[in-house]
Amino acid sequence: VRVHVVGTGLIGTSLGLALRHHGDEVTLEDVIATHAALARDLGAGRLAGPEGPEETPDLVVVATPPDVTAACVADSLRRWPTAVVTDVASVKGAVVAALRTERADLARYCGSHPMAGRERSGAVAGRRDLFDGRAWVLTPTPETSERAVRVVTDVARAAGAAVRRLPPEEHDRAVAAVSHVPQLAASLVAARLEDLDEASVALAGQGLRDVTRIAASDPSLWTQILAGNAPAVRDVLTALAADLGSVIEALGALEGSADAPGARGTLARTIAAGNAGHARIPGKHGAAPTAYTTVRVLIPDEPGQLGRLFADVGEIGTNIEEFHLDHGLGQPFGLAEVDVVPAAAAGLAEALADRGWQLHG
Amino acid sequence: VRVHVVGTGLIGTSLGLALRHHGDEVTLEDVIATHAALARDLGAGRLAGPEGPEETPDLVVVATPPDVTAACVADSLRRWPTAVVTDVASVKGAVVAALRTERADLARYCGSHPMAGRERSGAVAGRRDLFDGRAWVLTPTPETSERAVRVVTDVARAAGAAVRRLPPEEHDRAVAAVSHVPQLAASLVAARLEDLDEASVALAGQGLRDVTRIAASDPSLWTQILAGNAPAVRDVLTALAADLGSVIEALGALEGSADAPGARGTLARTIAAGNAGHARIPGKHGAAPTAYTTVRVLIPDEPGQLGRLFADVGEIGTNIEEFHLDHGLGQPFGLAEVDVVPAAAAGLAEALADRGWQLHG
């Protein structure tokens, strides 16, 4: 297929590299000519002429910054009256709304969102394996033609991704809850650490590290993402703020009377609701959540010990489902948590103990 | 030394096991006689007689549920007028306040908090390695004698822990920010997933998994912990709620006008404050944060592949500082993130590529 990429940043360049590797024909354009030239030099495709590619593309992929995505999609639908057009912005509803206002040809537009990224940006950060195994969500509207869905599906798969489908509004509500609000929660919790002295921050354990890992994210990128999905993020945050208000109120009641029974009930329900929500998160590969059994192994803090553990697990023949390495404050050992299917846990623990590993709970 | 343990649940039993292993003399008591007998049968120590141990203990460790800790410490100070007394509750200020009200002998009391636990409870869950390498925070008051601090320090070290010191109020403020509020944030974010349909929850990625991992915690235990530290937790949550309110307001302004510049500034400052707080979290072993370099390796989803990777890293001789396995939605590969010191990254990447591993960014 012939694919024309508009915008040669990280995503556009990576897509060009992946499709060229797959054997597709790729043309490139960018409002900044030197950016497009760099993507070409990296092997992402040929430069389109000043009037665009000589031959009509099968698919135009708009990979510009979010703020200009809708205008660029509308423009592309006009410039190539037979081509299918998609975009890769991480928020979809606003793009569709703008296209409706412009009375664009929605039959040929199928929005999409590859769930892939890097902490670096620009063509130089492009990788042809960026989409390997990642989800690429297609967000067709009722007007979107089956041809448009098929063309975008084929290209996403050619780039190595696994295709999913959601209506645009559902996609935006979903990413608000599973991505945008968790980002804000991590940032808000991490921000509270600024008030602490060194000795207090030093009590940080694995729980805090996990909750705040994504608090290291880029403020400029996240401002654009959050602003683009403001209504959906606000809905989830408003519900969360109401729950938070109840917790604060309950804690206030408990300051007055340690036995305030309604207050303890509020706290218990809050943690229990978290249990229920957490249980809904799918296991690896999008499968239904699986209850793995954890085998905990003490690891001396010396080079090669973790490698020795994994070599042993490999020889024992157990597949590791999840793995977590817990380094606590001032401790000479690491605590490795090896999650395996329940049926394999006892055998693994026994075999590891036989090989001299110290198991821990 | 002679240690008397009051309360033979997870912590009391584990301490008995650790100290017996170390060669100390341990006596046990519990208001439920069968619990104490079980701890004895597991090897945690001898049962004290109905009047307590025949010989005066050097240290009494109160390891009861939080709600009765203060009363039990006061009682212990009266029963053994020369012994040092400590407790292991995860909130310290309330215990000291109650002891002051009772005019207890604070010179012989040194509160403490071993940063160790399990998701299971009771004597049967006891482990003699529970404290290995974990922090054990001592929270002396101005009245606490040096002897009391020394006795508790020695016993905590004998159990395998690394001793830290903080005033009780500072300890409580610290755990509010580094433990109690992160727990609530994880629970509140996870609770929002209950409203989503399957297809939406299926978009969950590693960020959500990290933020909500501890949302699986026990509601009853956490209700006691939060209730015991209500003022400090409320202070941190109130500050967090104010930040959250600003974010909700900014998102509301952006719904009205996508360009609202003050609103975007609020979002950017929120994420940036999270960056700053996150940077304060110490690295492993309580050392200053270290910027590791990440080597990303694609791992086929077949038994033994992760073992092969670690065996290779072990042979190459590079020490792994942090390790993370990222399984995205519907992907045939796992993406392993291997964090190493910056100087080792290029060599590791090259050696892994030589061995046929597909590196990813």
Side-chain angles (χ1 to χ4, degrees), chain A residues 133 196 210 213 280 301 331, chain B residues 133 196 210 213 280 285 331:
Chain A
L196 295 184
D210 284 347
R213 185 180 61 85
R280 295 205 58 210
D301 188 22
Q331 67 186 36
Chain B
L196 294 184
D210 285 347
R213 185 180 63 84
R280 295 205 59 209
H285 296 191
Q331 66 186 35

Side-chain angles (χ1 to χ4, degrees), chain B residues 175-192:
Chain B
V175 292
V178 305
S179 170
H180 304 171
V181 165
Q183 173 62 54
L184 282 167
S187 299
L188 292 169
V189 168
R192 291 295 105 222

Side-chain angles (χ1 to χ4, degrees), chain A residues 273-278 281, chain B residues 185-194 208 212 215:
Chain A
N275 291 172
H278 178 265
I281 300 175
Chain B
S187 299
L188 292 169
V189 168
R192 291 295 105 222
L193 303 177
E194 288 198 87
L208 179 70
T212 60

Side-chain angles (χ1 to χ4, degrees), chain A residues 199-239:
Chain A
S200 299
V201 178
L203 297 187
Q206 195 56 41
L208 179 70
R209 287 192 176 82
D210 284 347
V211 171
T212 60
R213 185 180 61 85
I214 56 174
S217 298
D218 178 34
S220 155
L221 172 66
W222 274 95
T223 299
Q224 289 186 51
I225 293 173
L226 296 168
N229 202 19
V233 176
R234 188 159 169 263
D235 282 351
V236 181
L237 281 188
T238 301

Side-chain angles (χ1 to χ4, degrees), chain A residues 181 184-193 195 208 211-212 237 240-241 243-245 247-248, chain B residues 176-178 180-186 188-189 232-248 270:
Chain A
V181 165
L184 281 167
S187 299
L188 292 169
V189 169
R192 291 295 107 222
L193 304 176
D195 305 341
L208 179 70
V211 171
T212 60
L237 281 188
L240 191 153
D243 291 349
L244 175 59
V247 171
I248 292 174
Chain B
V178 305
H180 304 171
V181 165
Q183 173 62 54
L184 282 167
L188 292 169
V189 168
V233 175
R234 188 159 169 264
D235 282 352
V236 180
L237 281 188
T238 301
L240 191 153
D243 291 348
L244 176 59
S246 304
V247 170
I248 291 174
T270 302

